[in-house]
Amino acid sequence: MTMPFYVAPEQVMKDRAEYAQKGIARGRSLVGTTYSDGILIVAENPSRSLHKVSEIYDRIAFAGVGKYNEFDQLRVAGVRHADTKGYAFSREDVDARSLVNLYAQFLGNVFTHEMKPLEVEILVAELGVEPSGDQLYHIAYEGTITDEVTFTVLGGEAEAIREAVESVFEDRWDLDAALRKLVKALGGERVLAPEELEVAVLTRGQARRAFRRIGVPELTERLGVPSSSRSRSRPKSS
Amino acid sequence: MALPLFAPGEDPGPHFVDLLARIGRGGGDPTGACRTRLGYLPGVPVQVPVPQGAAVPGAAGGYPPLPHATTVVAMRYADGVLMAGDRRATEGHLIAHRAMEKVFPADDHSVVAIAGVAGPAVEMVRLFQTQLEHYEKVEGVALSLEGKANQLGQMVREHLPMAMQGLVVVPLFAGYDLRRGEGRIFTYDVTGGHYEEADHAATGSGGRDARNTIKLGWAEGLDRASALDLAIRALYEAADEDSATGGPDLVRGIYPLVATVTSGGYERLEGAEVAERFALLVEARRAGAGEAGRP
């Protein structure tokens, strides 16, 4: 029987972090921001059916980057947690904070105890009753929680995109302005077509379920991008 | 509370009821909320204590009087379906509630109404609503209308042991089938059997009188106003004949609850609109009544 080589814990953690970061960097990024009527999430995602952005509960949305199967498992667990809690108590008792803590606990556990860390970063967005209650929780692969009230960027190119968004961000901007500028920031050098994007909003003051997807037709209109069937002047913002 | 994650072989998928069963069995349910609802969990035997002593007339299987919800009606009309329910709940001979709601949105495009013992019926509706939304969120698409009707049928069947002891729950389900582009109605029996009705349906203690009224007035392609008038007339007639069905309460301003489901989704009608139609109905009845006040 051979003794395993001693590896310093610092090294183990560093290797794991590097592994997770590499995995996350392979995928496309996403941005979440608060706007005049709620919260907007824009993700670069060419797939129509494998969603990065989804609904968890009445006022809570979920978004993930990295390995699809891993963040989707977390999404489903979130829906289950929220639905059982809402059923056992009341719909009002379901809040993002407790869910975020569970996610962080799970990610942290996997990071330290399992063979392989999860290659994901997730965003849990909660719409407040008042605009001041809006919250964006960004949870990293090792379980670190950051809460933001303006905007947050997830994914491999987060730093570059963060800088781009920071330079254009306005507090309580309207949906069209936010959408155009975020899409531009996400694309960087490239111009992203509506078909390459997945967009969803949590809108205040409407129905019980605040989550709504913005499909390609609406997105095309809001971005003001000319589609092949219509001839429209291209605004310089796109 | 831990994050509800499951091994691939144990995963309950989009089934909320299975999820509750797994969480409840796994001991991951510190609130006990799931355990108290074992009556609905598949594979868990239900022990309902049979009460001793003389049966109370009108009570369920020897239980002391329990609140009962009564007449609900549904019909197809030009834009979709319309469902209406009276507001009375009874305990034996007594009135338990005057303003009970028996018509609920099941999800955006369907509606469910209940007749039977109020406690388990309302609980079943809550579970049904959660199940439909849960499925939609986990799977990313809503169930088909037929799928929803089946789900409700399974819940009624799970409830059968309690129904055999007198705690009967009989729902009425209707919705707008987005794939077919039409309204559809499903009726149930206590065994969970569900049957699609072609045009209209009524259930509950006053269901027979309500059904007869609708049968006489119904026609293909009724508009919204005519369908509303027919539904409230059916409930009026049912309340006229059946003591467990509440008529319009003009003193307190309590009127039956009416909802429609069309391609645009579920809509609960404003109380004022229903009140106005009832006022016209009552007016017409009064004008038609003879000197002795006979209809």
Side-chain angles (χ1 to χ4, degrees), chain B residues 117-140:
Chain B
V117 181
V122 172
E123 192 55 42
M124 189 183 288
V125 167
R126 232 161 72 77
L127 188 62
F128 183 54
Q129 288 169 327
T130 310
Q131 165 67 68
L132 296 188
E133 193 186 311
H134 187 72
Y135 182 97
E136 188 188 326
K137 288 190 292 197
V138 171
E139 291 288 291

Side-chain angles (χ1 to χ4, degrees), chain A residues 56 75 80 83 87 89, chain B residues 11 13 37 123 126 134 137:
Chain A
I56 293 269
R75 173 188 72 87
R80 286 178 177 155
D83 276 350
Y87 179 67
F89 304 111
Chain B
D11 199 292
R37 298 187 172 100
E123 192 55 42
R126 232 161 72 77
H134 187 72
K137 288 190 292 197

Side-chain angles (χ1 to χ4, degrees), chain A residues 28 44 157 183-184 186-192 196 238:
Chain A
R28 309 279 192 200
E44 192 182 344
E157 299 154 50
V183 170
K184 192 165 186 291
L186 263 185
E189 301 288 297
R190 300 164 298 150
V191 175
L192 296 174
E196 298 170 90
S238 62

Side-chain angles (χ1 to χ4, degrees), chain B residues 34-70:
Chain B
C34 304
R35 274 194 297 280
T36 59
R37 298 187 172 100
L38 284 176
Y40 299 128
L41 302 185
V44 180
V46 182
Q47 299 284 328
V48 181
V50 179
Q52 303 295 314
V56 182
Y63 283 93
L66 295 166
H68 270 66
T70 42

Side-chain angles (χ1 to χ4, degrees), chain B residues 52 83 89 108 112 149 173 191:
Chain B
Q52 303 295 314
M83 203 180 263
D108 286 347
V112 60
F173 179 68
T191 64

Side-chain angles (χ1 to χ4, degrees), chain B residues 96-183:
Chain B
H97 296 285
R98 289 190 172 82
M100 189 188 161
E101 301 193 350
K102 304 170 192 176
V103 179
F104 305 87
D107 66 358
D108 286 347
H109 283 95
S110 61
V111 54
V112 60
I114 49 164
V117 181
V122 172
E123 192 55 42
M124 189 183 288
V125 167
R126 232 161 72 77
L127 188 62
F128 183 54
Q129 288 169 327
T130 310
Q131 165 67 68
L132 296 188
E133 193 186 311
H134 187 72
Y135 182 97
E136 188 188 326
K137 288 190 292 197
V138 171
E139 291 288 291
V141 285
L143 272 170
S144 65
L145 191 66
E146 197 126 359
K148 293 173 199 170
N150 265 325
Q151 277 281 306
L152 186 57
Q154 284 163 21
M155 285 179 190
V156 177
R157 191 171 61 230
E158 291 297 329
H159 186 73
L160 183 62
M162 282 162 88
M164 295 303 282
Q165 311 230 18
L167 305 178
V168 174
V169 174
V170 185
L172 182 61
F173 179 68
Y176 190 82
D177 192 329
L178 291 164
R179 297 172 202 196
R180 292 198 194 178
E182 61 178 10

